[in-house]
Amino acid sequence: MTDEKTPKSMEERLQEAARHTDTKMEPTEPALAYFENLIEEQTALWYRQLWFELTCLWGIAFIFISFLIFSLFYVPLLFVLAQVTSIIVLIRYFYKERYEMVEMQQ
């Protein structure tokens, strides 16, 4: 046996601490049902999160597809309206310039 005065090696201290811990604590494993329930809960949580993310993606895709359909049908109409508006503005501009030229000549 070692005296209290002689230093113990690190290995002896670790072994003594391990024995002391084993006597103080009783390691018990949970039942198998605990782990099975934990797996079922995590799986259910994962599926809920997956469905939420898929629903969000479907909603975003619906918005983008709706915008594309809207632009497919209404952008040509907007283009035609822009062309008609520009023609009207140009006609007014030419008549205004012509009127000013006539006034300048008189």
Side-chain angles (χ1 to χ4, degrees), residues 11-56:
E11 185 179 340
E12 289 175 349
R13 287 184 184 177
L14 288 174
Q15 288 175 354
E16 187 176 319
R19 277 193 297 271
H20 182 67
T21 304
D22 286 345
T23 58
K24 293 286 183 184
M25 294 176 55
E26 293 181 19
T28 56
E29 279 188 21
L32 181 61
Y34 170 77
F35 292 110
E36 289 174 348
N37 288 336
L38 187 62
I39 290 171
E40 287 175 9
E41 289 174 7
Q42 292 297 321
T43 305
L45 180 67
W46 183 77
Y47 276 116
R48 273 197 310 263
Q49 185 177 5
L50 180 67
W51 276 110
F52 175 74
E53 290 174 359
L54 284 175
T55 305
C56 289

Side-chain angles (χ1 to χ4, degrees), residues 3 5-6 18 22 48 50 68 84 86 97 102 105-106:
D3 255 351
K5 294 178 182 178
T6 58
D22 286 345
R48 273 197 310 263
L50 180 67
L68 287 174
V84 169
S86 65
E97 289 295 321
V102 169
Q105 288 178 356
Q106 290 177 356

